[in-house]
Amino acid sequence: MIKSMTGFGRAVKEIDGYIITVELKSVNHRYFEFSSRIPRAYGFLDDKLKSYIGSKVARGKVDCFVGIEALNTESADVVVNNTLASAYVKALAELSETYGLKEDYGASTIARFPDVLVVKKAEEDEDKIRAYVKEVCDEALDKFVSMREVEGAKMKEDILSRAGYILDCVAFIEERSPETVKEYNDKLAARVHDIIGDATIDEARMIQEVAIYADKVAVAEETVRLRSHIDQLNKFLESKEAVGRKMDFLIQEINREANTIGSKANDVEIARKVVDIKSEIEKIREQVQNIE
């Protein structure tokens, strides 16, 4: 199923005395890129999360937020970082002496400085925490992937519609192209008649000129390849794999065939259809840029 690279998923769950939050969001990216915000005490989760989410997401820049709140704090102790506290007291005393300031700071003032008071908790079972976070991550991932699939379905519908219109234009070009050769033949015959009047026309030379022209403006090969590319595009849209990069390459090939038809076809009506095709190709390209 086609997925968008844009997605969001969030889950919050209380498990065994912990409130765990996992939030995932992603935007377009050429490859898979992962960044996380995890409480410092649980930094050991980062690599596992990256590996796990990477197994579910092929492309996109994914931001992951993990919040872990321990409800059971009975085993936690608050201790003083005496080395740092002494350094702060010394620095404040120096400020007071240097600038003649009143020493009106107390213990509460020192305690507010970063890392003076340190919360020490009992050792936690890392494997247990990983299992809890994975459980919540699975729920967030389900929502995240679901959103990407919903967006992907809309993109698929739009691309199919535009691809269908391109095929309509190709059908018109295939029908119109032989007519341009006939029109050239009639114009050439009329021009020659205007020049030489009722004199005998060299039919062989006329046929040769028309054949040369027909070869120059023939677009059958290009329209066949265009149809083949559109058929491949439709197959990609039904794929269960990540095909965004393949589709991006295929769009380049479709655009190349359209350019060739435009340069070869010496006809206003065909030229208009080529402009329409290129417009649809560009809109499809915009959609493909967001496909996983």
Side-chain angles (χ1 to χ4, degrees):
M1 179 182 290
I2 291 296
K3 299 186 188 76
S4 166
M5 279 194 281
T6 303
F8 178 82
R10 186 174 190 271
V12 181
K13 199 169 185 178
E14 183 179 336
I15 307 175
D16 193 23
Y18 293 92
I19 295 179
I20 299 174
T21 303
V22 176
E23 186 174 289
L24 299 168
K25 60 181 179 179
S26 67
V27 294
N28 296 6
H29 197 274
R30 191 172 182 182
Y31 305 104
F32 171 71
E33 182 177 305
F34 179 86
S35 61
S36 64
R37 285 187 296 143
I38 300 172
R40 186 181 301 175
Y42 300 98
F44 58 85
L45 293 168
D46 186 74
D47 287 342
K48 288 290 184 181
L49 277 172
K50 180 178 181 179
S51 177
Y52 183 61
I53 293 172
S55 69
K56 307 290 183 180
V57 179
R59 293 176 72 204
K61 184 180 183 301
V62 180
D63 292 319
C64 174
F65 165 78
V66 177
I68 302 175
E69 180 184 352
L71 299 178
N72 180 12
T73 57
E74 293 178 2
S75 60
D77 292 320
V78 178
V79 297
V80 179
N81 185 337
N82 288 299
T83 302
L84 190 58
S86 297
Y88 279 127
V89 170
K90 183 179 178 181
L92 289 171
E94 184 179 335
L95 278 173
S96 298
E97 183 180 344
T98 302
Y99 298 102
L101 301 174
K102 182 180 178 181
E103 294 186 10
D104 58 354
Y105 53 87
S108 60
T109 300
I110 304 301
R112 283 197 290 268
F113 288 116
D115 300 323
V116 170
L117 299 181
V118 180
V119 178
K120 286 194 173 182
K121 296 187 293 184
E123 289 292 325
E124 294 178 296
D125 186 333
E126 292 187 2
D127 289 337
K128 182 176 69 173
I129 298 298
R130 286 193 187 97
Y132 294 162
V133 171
K134 180 180 179 298
E135 183 178 334
V136 182
C137 184
D138 282 337
E139 189 176 326
L141 263 173
D142 286 343
K143 296 176 182 177
F144 175 78
V145 171
S146 177
M147 180 175 177
R148 285 161 65 103
E149 288 176 346
V150 169
E151 291 296 319
K154 294 177 183 177
M155 293 160 62
K156 175 183 174 180
E157 184 179 352
D158 183 70
I159 292 172
L160 284 173
S161 174
R162 297 187 187 284
Y165 180 71
I166 290 175
L167 287 179
D168 290 342
C169 292
V170 169
F172 175 86
I173 291 170
E174 289 172 333
E175 185 177 345
R176 174 66 185 160
S177 187
E179 290 296 317
T180 63
V181 177
K182 181 178 181 302
E183 290 172 6
Y184 177 79
N185 180 66
D186 294 343
K187 289 178 181 177
L188 182 62
R191 193 179 305 123
V192 171
H193 184 270
D194 289 341
I195 295 172
I196 66 176
D198 294 329
T200 303
I201 298 175
D202 187 342
E203 293 291 341
R205 182 62 187 275
M206 281 278 292
I207 292 172
Q208 183 182 18
E209 287 294 329
V210 172
I212 292 172
Y213 176 80
D215 185 61
K216 285 182 179 180
V217 301
V219 293
E221 291 183 11
E222 287 76 14
T223 58
V224 167
R225 283 196 291 268
L226 254 178
R227 287 185 177 278
S228 175
H229 292 333
I230 294 295
D231 182 59
Q232 184 63 54
L233 182 68
N234 291 339
K235 289 178 180 177
F236 280 152
L237 290 171
E238 300 299 329
S239 175
K240 294 180 180 180
E241 301 176 358
V243 292
R245 294 178 67 188
K246 292 180 181 179
M247 290 178 69
D248 189 41
F249 175 76
L250 186 62
I251 294 301
Q252 295 178 41
E253 295 301 305
I254 292 173
N255 191 59
R256 185 176 289 113
E257 300 300 340
N259 284 335
T260 303
I261 293 173
S263 64
K264 291 176 72 173
N266 187 24
D267 180 74
V268 173
E269 292 186 48
I270 291 179
R272 286 173 180 163
K273 288 298 180 182
V274 170
V275 170
D276 289 344
I277 289 174
K278 288 176 67 65
S279 175
E280 295 303 303
I281 290 172
E282 191 56 37
K283 291 169 184 174
I284 292 175
R285 190 200 305 277
E286 290 174 4
Q287 294 283 35
V288 168
Q289 295 300 316
N290 194 37
I291 289 178
E292 183 180 48

